[in-house]
Amino acid sequence: MKIDRDAPIGVFDSGVGGLTVAREIMRNLPSEKIVYFGDTARVPYGSKSRDTVIRYSRQIIHFLKEQQVKAIVIACNTASAFALDAVQHEQDIPVLGVIGAGAKVAAEETVNKRVGVIGTVGTVGSGIHEAYLKKLDPEITVIGKACPLFVPLVEEGWLHDPVTVEVANRYLQELKDKDVDTLILGCTHYPLIRSTIREVMGEKVRLVNPAYETALELKNLLQKTNMLSTGQQEEEFPYRFYVSDLADEFKEFANSILPYDVEMTKKIDIEKY
Amino acid sequence: MKIDRDAPIGVFDSGVGGLTVAREIMRNLPSEKIVYFGDTARVPYGSKSRDTVIRYSRQIIHFLKEQQVKAIVIACNTASAFALDAVQHEQDIPVLGVIGAGAKVAAEETVNKRVGVIGTVGTVGSGIHEAYLKKLDPEITVIGKACPLFVPLVEEGWLHDPVTVEVANRYLQELKDKDVDTLILGCTHYPLIRSTIREVMGEKVRLVNPAYETALELKNLLQKTNMLSTGQQEEEFPYRFYVSDLADEFKEFANSILPYDVEMTKKIDIEKY
């Protein structure tokens, strides 16, 4: 099959969080078109089993391939942890997850070989970052810490707030005590409270944002395979957004974090895929 | 169809929260058997559309009826708001929701006719409590306030915690300013932070716990229709728990709030119903 280099990039997440990844792709690959799918009917994935998350991911990939995408970015940490290996080999287009790129940079940047990972209960419990990091450098010690209140705090919009600072202080103290010099923001929502995390962790700790690193990895991959968009096929809606439920609330959150207003959001029945 | 008075009561919720309702049924109707279903694969319902919640509720009722229940309690506020009317008429056994009983008591107890309702974004946004209360007494003014951080705070176990007190202060100030004398805890998780809510609201405000009121309504209904259990059919597992995903985490939460250890939790594929 000949794949069109001007085809869009498919990005999916369990909900709105993956928009931080879409945002980095928009910033770093401004000529690329994007089809985003947020599985708002079945969010969150973090509390679901591996089998369920793999099944959901296959349905979404099926939908994205119908949209003729040239590559797929799994912008959800849980889906990257549970489904990437399973689905990557089934596809004839590249499929990237958000965990690999972040782990690679963390392994390169850590000096004292003590890397912290924060994320949802599901992501941290999966040990997936540790598995990636240990493969890159067996000497690295990984300290994981689940921060379940961060996502609802971000969704409440309390980004710069004493409550969020207090919660961050409590969650992150253990990582400071254990002297990590590098911290992976292992949940797509967390870049939105990066400044609070920075304040609590101090200036010396390197914060790794996998959304940004994944966008760079995608850029490298498209360059190497000669698949960067020519930028010549203009479209009225270069960014298209699909959700499985409640398109309006999605739009509101999207408009609050993206640099422009989302024009087109469409609800689809993902169970049919 | 002859219904067995020693049959169990079906209770369902989008997840673990409805266990506070099951707990009140256990306390107030100790001879009754219970089949509980927690839709942990598709939690939360609060962000889902009416049609989706009705479809989910029908599937669960189908499952519970296969377990030969004699009555069904919808222990989820969102499902009570969206699905109760639709499913009640389809069934030959009684179906109760958690909203009616709480609204009834609030309407009886309020003196200044100013009733507050706290719950998820979905429940408060639905205006369902207001509709019930206005039908009971058109003079009542209803002040709704969504408190999205309460559920994750409860699930984090921060029940008596300065962070929870600060969040409660922030959420509840508006209700205090508007001088409510009665407050409905319109989310199944909230009875678990009742003492924090009490502390913030003060001693004079009447807190209505719909879980408790629903158990009493069920008791009345079973008495009136001569359907109270005879208590003579002993069973090894009078309380059975089913979930749609991750049975272990459910069990952990259940054990933390129920007065005994949950022995039997089974995962079923609810999409098949």
Side-chain angles (χ1 to χ4, degrees):
Chain A
M1 191 179 91
K2 176 88 181 85
I3 293 165
D4 178 8
R5 61 188 294 179
D6 284 318
I9 292 158
V11 180
F12 79 88
D13 180 43
S14 56
V16 295
L19 289 169
T20 59
V21 178
R23 184 171 68 163
E24 294 294 345
I25 296 172
M26 293 171 191
R27 282 176 182 159
N28 292 284
L29 289 157
S31 299
E32 300 295 334
K33 296 190 279 286
I34 295 175
V35 178
Y36 184 94
F37 178 80
D39 198 358
T40 49
R42 305 187 295 195
V43 69
Y45 282 7
S47 53
K48 293 180 178 67
S49 67
R50 174 181 294 268
D51 287 350
T52 302
V53 172
I54 292 175
R55 184 165 66 81
Y56 289 179
S57 300
R58 285 199 176 114
Q59 288 178 319
I60 297 167
I61 289 171
H62 183 190
F63 165 74
L64 289 173
K65 290 199 75 176
E66 274 194 5
Q67 314 305 309
Q68 315 283 342
V69 298
K70 67 179 173 186
I72 290 174
V73 176
I74 306 182
C76 169
N77 280 276
T78 306
S80 297
F82 286 174
L84 181 63
D85 280 350
V87 301
Q88 216 163 25
H89 305 290
E90 300 163 0
Q91 300 303 324
D92 51 3
I93 56 172
V95 183
L96 282 74
V98 280
I99 293 170
K104 189 161 164 283
V105 171
E108 283 161 11
E109 300 264 339
T110 181
V111 176
N112 72 1
K113 310 272 184 198
R114 303 181 67 78
V115 175
V117 177
I118 52 176
T120 63
V121 174
T123 302
V124 173
S126 75
I128 183 76
H129 288 90
E130 180 156 13
Y132 270 82
L133 286 160
K134 290 272 191 195
K135 210 186 285 178
L136 293 164
D137 183 347
E139 280 178 29
I140 289 176
T141 300
V142 180
I143 297 113
K145 175 73 187 169
C147 306
L149 282 163
F150 279 172
V151 167
L153 284 165
V154 167
E155 294 192 346
E156 190 69 332
W158 295 9
L159 305 182
H160 310 280
D161 190 288
V163 168
T164 307
V165 174
E166 171 55 26
V167 171
N169 267 317
R170 221 165 307 168
Y171 281 146
L172 303 177
Q173 188 58 49
E174 188 186 330
L175 299 170
K176 290 167 76 177
D177 291 346
K178 293 192 173 159
D179 195 29
V180 304
D181 73 349
T182 306
L183 177 60
I184 298 176
L185 309 183
C187 171
T188 49
H189 279 68
Y190 297 179
L192 300 171
I193 49 167
R194 188 191 164 94
S195 64
T196 297
I197 294 169
R198 160 68 62 217
E199 195 182 317
V200 172
M201 292 305 294
E203 288 300 324
K204 286 185 189 158
V205 172
R206 167 81 156 94
L207 300 185
V208 177
N209 177 359
Y212 172 71
E213 306 300 344
T214 302
L216 292 196
E217 187 185 308
L218 176 67
K219 189 175 179 177
N220 282 337
L221 177 89
L222 294 178
Q223 266 166 344
K224 264 195 228 166
T225 53
N226 217 19
M227 287 298 287
L228 278 174
S229 168
T230 61
Q232 286 165 349
Q233 270 190 29
E234 296 239 343
E235 233 183 279
E236 197 183 355
F237 298 114
Y239 304 136
R240 285 181 285 149
F241 299 88
Y242 296 87
V243 290
S244 46
D245 215 337
L246 276 196
D248 280 354
E249 290 191 10
F250 176 87
K251 217 165 138 174
E252 206 174 294
F253 190 84
N255 288 343
S256 79
I257 76 160
L258 294 179
Y260 72 101
D261 269 6
V262 169
E263 299 286 345
M264 188 197 145
T265 310
K266 206 173 157 191
K267 185 182 151 182
I268 60 152
D269 184 357
I270 193 66
E271 295 283 355
K272 285 193 182 146
Y273 285 86
Chain B
M1 190 180 90
K2 178 86 181 82
I3 294 164
D4 177 8
R5 60 188 295 180
D6 285 318
I9 292 158
V11 178
F12 78 88
D13 180 43
S14 55
V16 295
L19 289 169
T20 60
V21 178
R23 181 171 71 163
E24 293 294 345
I25 297 172
M26 293 171 190
R27 281 176 182 160
N28 292 283
L29 290 157
S31 299
E32 300 295 335
K33 296 189 278 287
I34 294 175
V35 178
Y36 183 94
F37 178 79
D39 199 358
T40 47
R42 305 187 295 195
V43 69
Y45 283 8
S47 52
K48 294 181 176 69
S49 67
R50 175 181 295 268
D51 287 350
T52 302
V53 173
I54 291 175
R55 183 165 67 81
Y56 288 178
S57 300
R58 283 198 178 115
Q59 288 178 318
I60 297 167
I61 289 172
H62 182 192
F63 165 74
L64 290 173
K65 290 198 76 177
E66 273 194 5
Q67 313 305 309
Q68 314 284 341
V69 298
K70 66 179 173 185
I72 289 173
V73 176
I74 306 182
C76 169
N77 279 276
T78 306
S80 297
F82 287 174
L84 181 64
D85 280 350
V87 300
Q88 216 162 25
H89 305 291
E90 300 164 0
Q91 300 304 324
D92 52 1
I93 56 171
V95 183
L96 281 75
V98 280
I99 293 170
K104 190 161 165 279
V105 171
E108 283 161 10
E109 300 264 340
T110 180
V111 175
N112 72 1
K113 310 273 185 197
R114 302 180 69 78
V115 175
V117 177
I118 52 176
T120 62
V121 173
T123 302
V124 173
S126 75
I128 183 76
H129 288 90
E130 181 157 12
Y132 269 82
L133 285 161
K134 290 274 192 194
K135 211 186 283 179
L136 293 164
D137 182 347
E139 281 178 28
I140 289 176
T141 300
V142 180
I143 298 112
K145 176 72 188 168
C147 306
L149 282 163
F150 279 173
V151 167
L153 284 165
V154 167
E155 293 190 347
E156 190 69 330
W158 296 9
L159 305 182
H160 310 280
D161 190 287
V163 168
T164 308
V165 173
E166 172 54 27
V167 171
N169 266 317
R170 214 148 336 152
Y171 281 147
L172 303 178
Q173 188 58 49
E174 187 187 331
L175 299 171
K176 290 167 77 178
D177 291 346
K178 293 192 174 160
D179 196 29
V180 303
D181 72 350
T182 306
L183 178 60
I184 298 176
L185 309 182
C187 171
T188 49
H189 279 68
Y190 297 179
L192 300 171
I193 48 167
R194 189 195 164 93
S195 64
T196 297
I197 295 169
R198 161 67 63 217
E199 195 182 320
V200 172
M201 293 305 294
E203 288 300 324
K204 285 183 189 159
V205 172
R206 167 79 156 94
L207 300 185
V208 178
N209 177 359
Y212 172 71
E213 307 298 345
T214 303
L216 291 196
E217 188 184 306
L218 176 67
K219 189 175 181 178
N220 282 336
L221 177 90
L222 295 177
Q223 266 167 342
K224 263 194 226 164
T225 53
N226 219 18
M227 285 297 288
L228 278 173
S229 166
T230 61
Q232 286 165 349
Q233 270 190 28
E234 296 238 343
E235 232 183 281
E236 198 184 352
F237 298 113
Y239 305 137
R240 285 180 285 149
F241 300 88
Y242 296 88
V243 290
S244 45
D245 215 338
L246 277 196
D248 280 354
E249 290 191 9
F250 176 87
K251 218 166 137 175
E252 206 174 294
F253 191 84
N255 289 344
S256 79
I257 76 160
L258 294 179
Y260 72 101
D261 270 6
V262 169
E263 298 287 345
M264 188 195 145
T265 309
K266 207 174 158 191
K267 184 181 152 182
I268 60 151
D269 184 358
I270 194 65
E271 295 283 356
K272 287 195 181 146
Y273 285 86

